[in-house]
Amino acid sequence: MIALLTQLGSKGVLFGAAIYLFVRYGVFGFFIVDQSQRAVKTRLGKAIRRPGSGVSRGTPGSAAMRPDEQARYTYPIVDVYQPGFYFKWPWEKVHKVSVATVTINMAVDPEDPRANRGGQVLEAVTKDQLNIGLVGQLRFRIAESNLYAYLFGVKRPVVHTMGYFVSILRQHIANFQAPIHDGSDAQDNAGASGVSINDLRKHLRSINETMDQDCATSAARYGIELDASLITSIDPPAEVESALAAINTAHNHVSSEVSLAQASADQKLVQSKRAVEIETLNAHAEVEPLVQLANQLTELKRAGGAPSIEAYTRNVRLSLYARAKEAIVEVQP
């Protein structure tokens, strides 16, 4: 080829240069964006903005930031290329990112694989100064609505965002206090008060949900949004595990005794209510014949007047005399 170009002279050099430019910037100027990818182009080093889109204020999560943070994390909205076949000019550069959801162990340190026991257990400190180990996963994905922050806002966005997630989680663990809802829960919580790891274990779901809320601004900050925090285990240090087991056993015993006493008291209360109801019914049963007799006498007096009452009392007196064995008659002097 070179010999051929030498024979052709300057025309051959120009022809070879034309072929190189055609292959380099013509054939290889096309690029493909896959289904799980999005692409952003920079033109002479500047990201191509989406026409009329403004800045990232108003994107999901930005409203939860403080005013000074909103001013600090304001990024332009870039033009995002969806999956397909595109062409770029020689002075343009394509930046592809994957928008697929990523699941990673929360103990993994991207900068030091040996940290956190080889990326298996994340250490944290509770409110009562107890070192605990967290086991779980973080699930996140790149925010398509704020790709400028992910590509150009932070030097190493995944490392930075992992540190952000872990910092929020450790802060929440250090300040966590079990909520008190009603009487039963308050009594149950009172038995475990002073032992933060027990409260943390009982409220794993609440911790995961709080992480989702506290990390809602990550998309507006760094272009990565947290999809879910999944803490599966909270373990105390080995040297205090036996002591915690003894505390839990004592707490369960006390709770059992309190439940039995409460059940016995409830049973006695129900029995007392039943006894009162029975005595009330007996009193009504004794009073009811007298009430009916009074009503009958009232009707009799209304129908026949005073003579009918005298006749009725005479008949009753005669029936009593008939059943009496002895009668004492008082005689007026």
Side-chain angles (χ1 to χ4, degrees):
M1 184 70 181
I2 296 176
L4 178 62
L5 292 176
T6 302
Q7 294 177 359
L8 293 176
S10 59
K11 294 182 180 178
V13 174
L14 293 176
F15 180 72
I19 293 176
Y20 172 78
L21 292 175
F22 175 76
V23 174
R24 175 68 177 82
Y25 298 109
V27 177
F28 291 100
F30 294 95
F31 64 96
I32 296 175
V33 181
D34 293 335
Q35 287 294 328
S36 61
Q37 292 180 330
R38 301 293 183 270
V40 173
K41 287 200 300 187
T42 55
R43 183 177 298 153
L44 298 178
K46 182 179 180 180
I48 300 176
R49 272 64 167 173
R50 183 183 303 168
S53 58
V55 295
S56 61
R57 287 186 181 180
T59 55
S62 61
M65 293 191 296
R66 301 192 305 269
D68 60 323
E69 291 178 333
Q70 292 182 357
R72 189 191 318 162
Y73 297 104
T74 298
Y75 302 105
I77 302 298
V78 294
D79 196 8
V80 179
Y81 289 83
Q82 301 295 323
F85 185 71
Y86 301 97
F87 176 78
K88 69 177 182 66
W89 293 104
W91 50 87
E92 293 179 341
K93 184 177 180 181
V94 179
H95 303 266
K96 296 181 182 178
V97 297
S98 174
V99 294
T101 301
V102 178
T103 301
I104 188 172
N105 193 317
M106 62 174 55
V108 170
D109 188 343
E111 291 186 318
D112 187 3
R114 297 172 298 177
N116 300 326
R117 305 179 193 176
Q120 298 299 322
V121 179
L122 178 65
E123 294 184 350
V125 180
T126 63
K127 190 175 183 180
D128 51 1
Q129 304 301 316
L130 180 65
N131 292 325
I132 62 174
L134 303 175
V135 178
Q137 297 175 334
L138 294 175
R139 196 168 62 211
F140 59 86
R141 59 176 173 269
I142 298 173
E144 183 179 343
S145 60
N146 197 13
L147 283 183
Y148 186 96
Y150 176 78
L151 290 172
F152 313 111
V154 184
K155 186 176 182 180
R156 301 184 65 183
V158 175
V159 176
H160 197 93
T161 309
M162 279 292 294
Y164 175 72
F165 291 156
V166 171
S167 298
I168 289 181
L169 177 59
R170 282 175 169 162
Q171 181 185 12
H172 189 58
I173 293 293
N175 299 320
F176 182 80
Q177 186 173 1
I180 298 176
H181 299 294
D182 50 25
S184 58
D185 288 347
Q187 187 179 21
D188 187 54
N189 289 331
S193 62
V195 185
S196 298
I197 189 171
N198 289 334
D199 298 335
L200 292 170
R201 284 173 166 172
K202 290 179 182 177
H203 298 87
L204 273 180
R205 180 179 178 182
S206 173
I207 296 173
N208 290 326
E209 292 177 352
T210 304
M211 272 289 293
D212 297 342
Q213 299 172 3
D214 293 344
C215 297
T217 62
S218 62
R221 291 172 182 266
Y222 312 116
I224 295 179
E225 56 184 337
L226 178 67
D227 183 65
S229 171
L230 306 172
I231 302 174
T232 57
S233 175
I234 299 179
D235 299 321
E239 58 271 19
V240 298
E241 189 168 6
S242 59
L244 285 174
I247 292 174
N248 291 333
T249 301
H251 169 63
N252 293 335
H253 179 71
V254 171
S255 298
S256 175
E257 294 296 330
V258 170
S259 298
L260 290 175
Q262 187 173 2
S264 177
D266 293 342
Q267 184 178 8
K268 289 181 179 178
L269 183 61
V270 172
Q271 290 176 348
S272 300
K273 290 181 179 178
R274 291 290 179 84
V276 171
E277 291 176 357
I278 292 172
E279 292 301 326
T280 302
L281 292 175
N282 289 335
H284 288 169
E286 292 179 359
V287 171
E288 186 63 23
L290 299 177
V291 173
Q292 294 295 331
L293 178 59
N295 293 334
Q296 291 177 0
L297 293 177
T298 302
E299 293 293 332
L300 183 62
K301 185 178 181 181
R302 184 182 300 112
S308 60
I309 296 297
E310 292 178 357
Y312 176 80
T313 55
R314 186 183 64 245
N315 293 334
V316 171
R317 191 180 301 115
L318 290 175
S319 63
L320 291 177
Y321 289 159
R323 287 184 291 176
K325 294 181 180 179
E326 295 180 358
I328 300 174
V329 180
E330 183 180 3
V331 179
Q332 295 293 334

